[in-house]
Amino acid sequence: MKPIHDSILSTIGNTPVIRLNALAPDGVELFVKVESFNPGGSVKDRLALGIIEAAERDGTLKPGQTVIEATSGNTGIGLALVCAAKGYPLVVTMAESFSVERRKLLRMLGAKVVLTPASEKGTGMLAKAAELAETHSWFLARQFENEAGPDFHSATTAKEIVTNFADAPLDYFVTGFGTGGTLKGIARVLKATSPSTKVIAAEPDNSPLLGSGIAQGYQADGSPSASHPAFRPHPMQGWSPDFIPKLAGDVISAGHIDAIQPVSGDDAIRCARDLARKEGLLVGITAGATLAAAIAVARTAPKGARILAMLPDTGERYLSTPLFEGISEEMSEDEKAIASSTPRFRFDAAPSTPAPAAAPVAASTAAVAHVDAIVADKAQPVVLFAMEWCEFCWSVHRLFAKAGIAYRTVNLDGPDYRDADWAADVRRAVGERSGAPTIPQIFIAARHLGGATETFDACNDGTLAALLTEIDQNADTDSLGNAYGFLPKWLHPRGAAAAPKPAPDQAA
């Protein structure tokens, strides 16, 4: 390694392969390639550098030209790093559902972030990026179909892996897919140089795009023609968008995938936490998902098999996601006990005069009137107050759509509530009227039904059907079965019928 680098860009690549000890199942050797060692914290630094330098070579990217791309975060961060080092302005489009840490990192690196509605999914942010590129003559990176991405992986990542395992064959290579660039670039090299290595593609079990067997349609430029029908929202940010990218489709067509391994959201989060606590590797949810897939492979692998799993990114950009749920900023009881075990600097003594609790902020008269008018509208008597990116809200949407219930959605993070103060004020008014601080909240003919779980219960016990009959709606709730089946599969992997009633609704 050179002791002094000419720029941050020469530090991209050459990431370590690490043997797992505490988490490796008996009888196999389990390794991970830790891509968080890239300067931008993820494998996407490689793709970003490959795309930009290829475009410079062929002249499609002009000096000083603005670069634009649709991204869930990591590709954008990689592009922001590369563009900052090379002097290109960068604009990214990103669905609102991705973690706020990613937006802040992008802006810290000088990029501009244009948010698109979560309801439009990945295809929505792609369409916005293409529209902006055409309007302003910007360079569109096209990570989902740009061959420069897999070419860079073939030239770097794949060669690193081949070198790492030159002493003994690699039996299994396990990775998820986002753009498909990592999968394509590595798989084709392994199939050429180590044909006995089995390539395992992992994907969310509730969103089995590859496993569905349903072909993805493409436009002439290689971009998806429509959202894939098997897509469902899942917690693996950066994995499996709502379409099969052309690059991933190429791997399928080439026959380079030996097996597809589904992974539940619960297993992904559990394995990411295990990597941090038992192996000292702070990684993201997709890394946990890849490890979960590798462990599943290990259960049926021959004794002595060598398995490599890709860990795509760092865990630090998941602070606001379920990965860090339950990890408090305050001291736990155990930590307080430790603090109290020595005489100095104790934190368990109550102040002599407790500070008065802050009075709750009441909703304004305007916000209360706004909510009252919506709930009292006889033309739209069924009202769902929701957040566009909330899993529980999506569950109620699916239930209402399946039953044929006519309703009005009020998305408190939608375009009508872009003003954060007004959105918070209206949400307080909804909470005051419903008696619950969480979202979603459902009203029928000005009567508060409850949140998602109360709505599921009302559907199951016939209350919902009775209320709809009172307002002359002939919805079909009888054929729905257990309403809890509309929850995302990753919340109840054993199935709704066997699952206990979930905790009270969450405002994500």
Side-chain angles (χ1 to χ4, degrees):
M1 183 174 68
K2 292 164 48 177
I4 297 176
H5 292 268
D6 294 331
S7 83
I8 191 67
L9 303 181
S10 63
T11 69
I12 294 174
N14 291 309
T15 55
V17 168
I18 297 173
R19 181 192 300 272
L20 296 187
N21 298 295
L23 298 180
D26 292 339
V28 302
E29 293 183 275
L30 182 54
F31 305 88
V32 291
K33 189 160 178 62
V34 189
E35 289 297 299
S36 61
F37 276 67
N38 284 302
S42 88
V43 68
K44 298 299 187 179
D45 290 0
R46 298 177 186 261
L47 174 148
L49 183 59
I51 286 176
I52 295 301
E53 291 194 337
E56 287 176 329
R57 288 193 298 270
D58 66 22
T60 53
L61 176 60
K62 306 297 189 295
Q65 187 179 10
T66 295
V67 176
I68 184 167
E69 181 59 332
T71 172
S72 65
N74 283 332
T75 295
I77 292 166
L79 282 169
L81 182 154
V82 173
C83 288
K86 287 179 169 286
Y88 298 105
L90 174 67
V91 176
V92 302
T93 59
M94 179 187 294
E96 293 174 317
S97 52
F98 297 112
S99 66
V100 295
E101 293 89 345
R102 299 173 184 230
R103 304 179 201 175
K104 291 187 176 183
L105 286 168
L106 283 161
R107 289 171 175 140
M108 182 68 178
L109 286 163
K112 291 183 170 59
V113 182
V114 175
L115 298 178
T116 59
S119 58
E120 298 299 316
K121 299 172 283 191
T123 48
M125 65 185 191
L126 281 176
K128 186 64 175 178
E131 181 183 45
L132 287 169
E134 182 177 1
T135 300
H136 301 289
S137 298
W138 292 342
F139 171 74
L140 182 59
R142 307 188 71 90
Q143 61 170 313
F144 296 101
E145 56 268 2
N146 194 326
E147 291 294 338
D151 286 349
F152 197 85
H153 279 295
S154 292
T156 63
T157 326
K159 287 187 177 180
E160 293 165 26
I161 292 171
V162 170
T163 300
N164 290 144
F165 292 94
D167 62 324
L170 180 63
D171 297 294
Y172 298 91
F173 171 70
V174 185
T175 186
F177 75 94
T179 64
T182 303
L183 177 61
K184 181 177 181 178
I186 296 174
R188 65 188 177 192
V189 172
L190 289 179
K191 289 301 180 183
T193 62
S194 180
S196 64
T197 301
K198 291 181 171 59
V199 174
I200 312 298
E203 65 178 353
D205 66 351
N206 71 316
S207 188
L209 274 62
L210 302 183
S212 71
I214 301 172
Q216 174 71 53
Y218 299 102
Q219 300 185 69
D221 62 0
S223 61
S225 57
S227 182
H228 195 282
F231 174 78
R232 299 294 182 272
H234 57 80
M236 291 80 140
Q237 295 187 27
W239 255 27
S240 302
D242 67 309
F243 56 92
I244 300 173
K246 178 184 178 298
L247 299 178
D250 292 343
V251 187
I252 298 171
S253 300
H256 288 166
I257 296 176
D258 294 287
I260 298 167
Q261 180 61 53
V263 180
S264 75
D266 286 346
D267 284 346
I269 291 171
R270 175 181 54 78
C271 284
R273 290 174 176 172
D274 284 347
L275 280 164
R277 294 167 179 171
K278 298 179 181 180
E279 300 282 358
L281 291 169
L282 181 60
V283 295
I285 297 175
T286 52
T290 313
L291 177 62
I295 290 174
V297 168
R299 294 191 187 107
T300 58
K303 186 175 181 179
R306 310 183 89 203
I307 304 169
L308 175 65
M310 289 290 288
L311 304 187
D313 68 355
T314 176
E316 290 185 348
R317 57 200 53 164
Y318 294 84
L319 293 172
S320 64
T321 75
L323 181 60
F324 281 80
E325 185 178 353
I327 298 178
S328 175
E329 299 175 2
E330 306 299 330
M331 285 197 296
S332 68
E333 293 303 315
D334 287 346
E335 290 164 341
K336 289 177 182 177
I338 294 170
S340 301
S341 65
T342 56
R344 300 186 65 194
F345 303 107
R346 292 174 62 107
F347 300 93
D348 58 338
S352 56
T353 305
V361 177
S364 69
T365 302
V368 170
H370 178 71
V371 171
D372 287 348
I374 292 172
V375 170
D377 185 0
K378 294 183 179 179
Q380 296 177 298
V382 181
V383 180
L384 167 63
F385 289 97
M387 307 288 278
E388 287 186 340
W389 44 271
C390 170
E391 294 274 33
F392 286 88
C393 299
W394 279 59
S395 299
V396 176
H397 281 301
R398 288 194 290 269
L399 185 150
F400 282 5
K402 185 70 173 178
I405 298 171
Y407 67 104
R408 174 182 180 181
T409 303
V410 181
N411 285 318
L412 298 179
D413 57 347
D416 293 338
Y417 300 93
R418 292 296 188 194
D419 184 292
D421 292 337
W422 174 240
D425 197 8
V426 172
R427 183 162 176 173
R428 282 193 293 269
V430 173
E432 289 174 7
R433 179 161 185 134
S434 66
T438 55
I439 296 296
Q441 294 299 326
I442 296 92
F443 292 82
I444 298 179
R447 173 179 170 179
H448 178 231
L449 179 63
T453 56
E454 289 83 6
T455 301
F456 296 154
D457 288 338
C459 183
N460 287 343
D461 65 21
T463 303
L464 178 60
L467 291 173
L468 293 171
T469 300
E470 290 178 11
I471 60 172
D472 297 323
Q473 273 213 43
N474 296 318
D476 178 18
T477 58
D478 294 335
S479 63
L480 298 179
N482 185 351
Y484 284 99
F486 287 90
L487 284 170
K489 185 178 178 182
W490 68 269
L491 288 173
H492 293 299
R494 291 190 301 274
K501 181 178 176 180
D505 307 331
Q506 303 170 11

